[in-house]
Amino acid sequence: MTPARCFTTALRQCCTNMACAPLFMAAIVLYAAYYCWPYMAQLPDHIHCAIVDADGSPLSRELVMEFRATPDLNILQVTENRQEAILAMKRAEVSAILEIPPHFGRDVAAAVPTAITLTADGAYLVGGRISTAGASGPLEAAASRAVAAWLRAQGASASELARMEMQAPALVTVAAYNTISGYLNFAVPIVFVIVFQTLMCAGMGMLFNAWYMAAARPAVLAAALGSPLCLFCVQMSVFFLCLFWTLFVEGPVFYLQGINSFQNIPATLGMCAAFSLAVSSLACLLSLLLGPTHFVMQAVVLSALPCVFISGNLWPTQNIPFFFQCLGWLFPSTPGSYGIIRASQCGADVAEAAPYMAHLLLLAAVYFVLACLEARRQARKAAQEEQGAPHAA
């Protein structure tokens, strides 16, 4: 079978073989249509909070009582030590920290601008975003009520109270990670990169599994095992599918969902092409290694969630052991997510994205060389078995 015939046969099989066609043709469409919907307008109630009262004034105590009485907030800890509240957040006991600054009561009485700080842990992307969005409204209302009540007790005039009601103390939200506090423009593009990697590897693995398990070995598989050029052409069928879906999601899908994309067109195209090539090479290697078994889907799908976290984008790098940080850079999803979100969503130019492109191209070359070695090993094994069969007969 010629290399061109290998490419067309593999591409047709990817689109029609029911072992892999749902992954290649339908899964990404479903992800693109439904992935963002649960997070578009979701606000929580009973947000677990810790309060750091660095003021200790009558006003700050009044403010703490007002916060405790707010139905949407669940105040679990009140302390003067900020580190205690941070440790509670690290232990996942609270999802937000409210900080009343020193001299808060004095500043309010003197009409000096002041601020109550709401800190949310952005390492939990959805939780951090919805915690700040869900808590900010009740906090502003509670602060306004407490300040107005305190000023009224101090004998403030009606005009002063009206002014304070119109100009309540500022609420400043500070994210511990992902400082843009974004989900659609930050997390969704990163997660889609890992979705592409998972679906392409699983799809190609299932296709090879179907070929290996066929009663008669297909000519395209025999050609791929016997010739590196034919193997490369089979890989190219998955490359073009991955590139098509990557551009489809980064283009019309993100445009319809209001997500920044293609902020720098040349860099985005280069990143998508390099990422697709690395993913197709990885898929080719995994298909040869796991294709003769029945565990392709299990192995690929189980690796998806760890890839989300060890990439260092959706989870702070300092929280990841060094070994897993190094392991993360062996997967295309890590340099792919770093480069694509910078080029497509943030507008980085080709020079800024070049290190990630080079990393992906290096991964693609290494994976393909390993795939060729595995294909040669399997071809030799098959030849030895064929030679041994006549002697046994």
Side-chain angles (χ1 to χ4, degrees):
M1 181 176 285
T2 64
R5 185 71 180 274
C6 287
F7 171 79
T8 56
T9 302
L11 184 61
R12 184 177 66 253
Q13 287 282 302
C14 288
C15 300
T16 59
N17 191 314
M18 292 308 296
C20 61
L23 296 172
F24 283 129
M25 307 306 296
I28 293 180
V29 176
L30 296 177
Y31 267 105
Y34 296 109
Y35 175 61
C36 303
W37 284 8
Y39 312 108
M40 298 296 288
Q42 185 175 356
L43 295 180
D45 55 8
H46 296 90
I47 301 168
H48 298 316
C49 300
I51 296 179
V52 178
D53 184 1
D55 186 26
S57 66
L59 175 56
S60 69
R61 290 193 292 270
E62 181 73 23
L63 195 56
V64 171
M65 293 177 61
E66 193 71 39
F67 288 155
R68 287 188 181 277
T70 302
D72 294 331
L73 304 177
N74 185 15
I75 307 301
L76 298 181
Q77 183 184 54
V78 179
T79 178
E80 298 178 359
N81 189 340
R82 187 173 186 269
Q83 290 303 317
E84 291 183 10
I86 292 176
L87 288 176
M89 177 177 283
K90 289 182 177 180
R91 292 193 299 265
E93 296 173 0
V94 299
S95 58
I97 299 174
L98 310 176
E99 296 185 58
I100 304 173
H103 313 302
F104 177 76
R106 186 190 68 185
D107 292 342
V108 169
V112 175
T114 185
I116 300 169
T117 304
L118 169 63
T119 302
D121 187 357
Y124 300 93
L125 290 163
V126 180
R129 181 181 66 87
I130 62 180
S131 292
T132 53
S136 57
L139 289 177
E140 289 177 349
S144 299
R145 289 194 301 268
V147 170
W150 185 78
L151 290 175
R152 188 181 301 112
Q154 300 300 313
S157 63
S159 60
E160 257 188 294
L161 292 175
R163 180 179 61 82
M164 291 302 300
E165 185 177 356
M166 296 297 294
Q167 189 178 359
L171 176 67
V172 180
T173 60
V174 180
Y177 179 68
N178 176 22
T179 54
I180 63 173
S181 297
Y183 190 83
L184 283 180
N185 284 293
F186 183 78
V188 169
I190 294 171
V191 172
F192 262 110
V193 168
I194 297 167
V195 168
F196 291 137
Q197 177 178 284
T198 302
L199 292 179
M200 293 301 115
C201 290
M204 191 172 189
M206 294 300 294
L207 177 61
F208 268 69
N209 180 257
W211 288 347
Y212 278 113
M213 299 304 168
R217 175 166 292 186
V220 62
L221 177 60
L225 295 179
S227 168
L229 181 59
C230 290
L231 180 63
F232 180 74
C233 290
V234 172
Q235 175 190 323
M236 283 297 98
S237 63
V238 177
F239 164 76
F240 280 108
L241 286 174
C242 186
L243 181 61
F244 169 79
W245 286 119
T246 305
L247 296 177
F248 173 75
V249 170
E250 289 287 336
V253 171
F254 283 178
Y255 173 78
L256 293 175
Q257 293 178 343
I259 303 174
N260 290 341
S261 62
F262 276 95
Q263 298 300 299
N264 186 293
I265 295 177
T268 302
L269 292 175
M271 279 302 310
C272 290
F275 171 71
S276 299
L277 184 62
V279 167
S280 62
S281 293
L282 176 61
C284 186
L285 174 61
L286 293 178
S287 300
L288 290 170
L289 292 173
L290 302 175
T293 72
H294 293 283
F295 304 108
V296 178
M297 183 65 73
Q298 295 91 324
V300 173
V301 172
L302 286 176
S303 68
L305 190 58
C307 286
V308 170
F309 293 105
I310 65 177
S311 69
N313 280 300
L314 300 183
W315 187 261
T317 305
Q318 60 267 25
N319 291 0
I320 305 172
F322 180 73
F323 170 77
F324 291 107
Q325 292 183 39
C326 297
L327 182 63
W329 287 96
L330 297 180
F331 292 93
S333 54
T334 298
S337 60
Y338 271 92
I340 289 176
I341 196 164
R342 283 160 174 75
S344 185
Q345 278 68 51
C346 301
D349 58 23
V350 174
E352 294 172 303
Y356 303 108
M357 294 184 199
H359 189 108
L360 289 167
L361 294 176
L362 177 61
L363 288 180
V366 171
Y367 289 144
F368 183 70
V369 170
L370 294 176
C372 290
L373 294 176
E374 175 62 18
R376 178 182 297 180
R377 185 192 70 80
Q378 293 187 18
R380 288 177 177 174
K381 181 179 178 181
Q384 291 173 357
E385 290 176 352
E386 290 179 1
Q387 291 176 359
H391 294 297

